[in-house]
Amino acid sequence: MSSASEHFANVEALSAFRQEVADFLGANWQPKTSDKGLFRQAAVERGYLYRNVPKAYGGSEQAPDLARAQIIQEEFNRVRAPMEVPGVGYGMLVPTLLGCAEPWQKERFIAPTLSGEIRWAQGYSEPNSGSDLASIRTRARLEGDEWIIDGQKIWSSGADKAHFMFMLVRTEPQASKHAGISYLLVDLRQPGITIRPLRQINGSEEFSEVFFDGARTPATWIVGARGEGWKVSKTTLSAERSGFMGAAETSVTLHRKLVELAQRCQLDGRPAIDDPRVRDRLIQLEGMVSAHFHNMQRQFALRLAKKEPGNVALMNKLIVTRIAAEVADIARDILGNDFMLSPFGREAEAGPEKWLNQYLGSLGMAIAGGTSNIQRNVIAERGLGLPRDNVATS
């Protein structure tokens, strides 16, 4: 499957830009010796990273261009060069600050977030407020020039290593669920905050639960107006984000690795790839992956033409989840008992097989970023115009 960007207009200009990016990478990135911080700084100066962020806040301030953004991602991935600092800081907080924050908040927080100097955790989910985020119970009351926070957050990725948290809290207890929420920034390195990593079944501890017992944050560390946190949290910029095709390309790669696994492994005394049942499942999966890939190309083309892809975009996450689950099921059947006995968690990082990790991760995908059942409701209600399922909310 060819790169998505090669199929559209201005191929000559885009090809020249691709060569420009490739030349830059050849001159500035060596996987084993290059310093990531210095490399990212050079990439920003060339306009390749943080393209949607003004130069005043540490970005490269480029005009939105989905095709060029896709080329940058493809070329960086090809040589395994680092792109933007990963995490919720750039992915979620920075767009929110750019759209809703006071100038001093942008100056204080954006640049060090882009450089990785400060790390962020997200404080949205609570033990009894998962899919129904508006039912959060963590509260903050204003006393003088500080907010006093009491409550609990859970499933906060990297909170044990983060410096700050952006969080939703209830500041207007008498208001309706959506109207009484505010968006606060909080320093996690203070008394009154307890962070407990959650050990997962695969041995890793990427999530944490965070307890607030009289924790404090300045009154000015609120983003947007008091009581409008729900609106703030949903703010996004109409700017490009490279990686639109990322999920589709990941599915293609996952399928390829699964085929390679079937070629290497023995099943009933012969290569698994020769088993008719395995071949049939691999072919069906390839059809699903191919359809998803080309559907994403179509959506990409529409966005390049400044058109919305329509209701089909609502299905993307659900399809990726289904593909990952099918890959995991086939790998499990190919490996048999060795699948459950293989190393997982951190032990698998340096090993040739990561299929148990992939299987466990596929289970989490059905929950992460909104459960699959919630996504089906969104497709039904917003996409197909079906009536709301009152039974599910009663």
Side-chain angles (χ1 to χ4, degrees):
M1 297 181 185
S2 58
S3 300
S5 53
E6 300 293 346
H7 296 282
F8 304 107
N10 302 319
V11 172
E12 183 176 348
L14 292 177
S15 296
F17 180 74
R18 183 183 294 277
Q19 187 61 51
E20 173 193 314
V21 177
D23 291 344
F24 167 81
L25 292 169
N28 291 275
W29 174 250
Q30 297 296 326
K32 295 183 179 180
T33 59
S34 296
D35 179 273
K36 290 184 178 180
L38 294 176
F39 170 78
R40 284 194 176 103
Q41 182 177 347
V44 169
E45 292 173 357
R46 289 292 294 269
Y48 299 149
L49 297 182
Y50 303 121
R51 292 166 57 85
N52 62 314
V53 180
K55 292 182 179 180
Y57 305 130
S60 60
E61 197 171 343
Q62 301 296 304
D65 189 323
L66 280 172
R68 292 195 172 209
Q70 182 64 28
I71 287 173
I72 291 168
Q73 178 174 349
E74 290 173 2
E75 290 302 308
F76 275 54
N77 288 346
R78 181 178 58 81
V79 297
R80 297 185 178 182
M83 296 197 67
E84 290 85 359
V85 173
V88 296
Y90 173 62
M92 298 183 69
L93 177 65
V94 169
T96 302
L97 293 179
L98 288 173
C100 301
E102 298 291 334
W104 75 265
Q105 293 172 329
K106 298 175 185 180
E107 295 173 2
R108 167 70 173 82
F109 294 113
I110 292 181
T113 297
L114 301 186
S115 68
E117 179 184 344
I118 59 176
R119 296 186 295 272
W120 293 85
Q122 178 188 11
Y124 283 12
S125 296
E126 297 182 7
N128 295 309
S129 301
S131 298
D132 184 14
L133 183 59
S135 66
I136 61 171
R137 295 187 294 180
T138 295
R139 297 192 176 190
R141 65 185 187 276
L142 190 59
E143 291 188 0
D145 59 357
E146 291 184 313
W147 293 100
I148 312 300
I149 306 169
D150 293 285
Q152 179 185 356
K153 297 294 180 179
I154 199 167
W155 309 123
S156 295
S157 301
D160 58 324
K161 300 177 179 64
H163 304 102
F164 300 94
M165 173 179 281
F166 56 94
M167 62 187 301
L168 295 178
V169 296
R170 189 161 298 284
T171 55
E172 327 299 320
Q174 305 305 319
S176 64
K177 289 202 308 183
H178 293 81
I181 296 173
S182 295
Y183 192 108
L184 299 183
L185 309 178
V186 180
D187 190 335
L188 293 176
R189 302 159 298 178
Q190 62 167 296
I193 296 180
T194 302
I195 301 174
R196 297 178 184 172
L198 298 169
R199 189 170 181 81
Q200 299 163 234
I201 193 173
N202 67 353
S204 66
E205 296 179 342
E206 60 182 295
F207 303 109
S208 293
E209 54 183 346
V210 185
F211 299 87
F212 299 87
D213 183 13
R216 297 171 179 269
T217 197
T220 55
W221 283 30
I222 182 172
V223 180
R226 177 172 177 168
E228 294 188 2
W230 184 261
K231 176 181 177 182
V232 171
S233 70
K234 296 173 73 66
T235 297
T236 56
L237 295 182
S238 57
E240 67 178 13
R241 285 303 306 276
S242 60
F244 182 76
M245 290 290 295
E249 291 167 352
T250 298
S251 295
V252 171
T253 300
L254 201 56
H255 177 263
R256 175 179 55 78
K257 290 182 177 179
L258 182 63
V259 172
E260 293 172 354
L261 177 72
Q263 293 170 334
R264 293 197 310 269
C265 291
Q266 296 287 309
L267 188 63
D268 297 330
R270 59 179 175 174
I273 194 72
D274 293 336
D275 186 290
R277 295 166 298 178
V278 173
R279 293 179 68 88
D280 182 62
R281 295 180 70 185
L282 288 174
I283 290 170
Q284 292 186 50
L285 178 62
E286 183 175 4
M288 187 188 310
V289 171
S290 180
H292 175 53
F293 183 89
H294 289 96
N295 178 40
M296 292 297 285
Q297 283 189 320
R298 174 180 174 274
Q299 293 180 51
F300 186 52
L302 288 170
R303 292 190 186 278
L304 281 176
K306 301 187 184 304
K307 298 179 181 179
E308 289 299 320
N311 293 334
V312 68
L314 297 174
M315 300 175 60
N316 293 338
K317 195 260 185 182
L318 199 61
I319 293 172
V320 171
T321 299
R322 183 182 174 190
I323 289 173
E326 184 66 16
V327 168
D329 285 345
I330 297 174
R332 180 191 59 197
D333 292 345
I334 290 174
L335 289 168
N337 292 337
D338 290 339
F339 179 80
M340 298 306 296
L341 296 175
S342 62
F344 63 96
R346 295 187 180 91
E347 296 179 7
E349 293 304 316
E353 304 293 357
K354 298 182 181 180
W355 290 105
L356 185 52
N357 269 353
Q358 193 274 329
Y359 173 76
L360 295 172
S362 73
L363 300 177
M365 285 182 65
I367 301 173
T371 66
S372 292
N373 284 342
I374 291 295
Q375 190 63 34
R376 292 186 180 96
N377 284 341
V378 170
I379 294 170
E381 296 169 15
R382 300 181 188 175
L384 303 178
L386 298 178
R388 184 176 179 84
D389 184 359
N390 293 324
V391 175
T393 59
S394 60

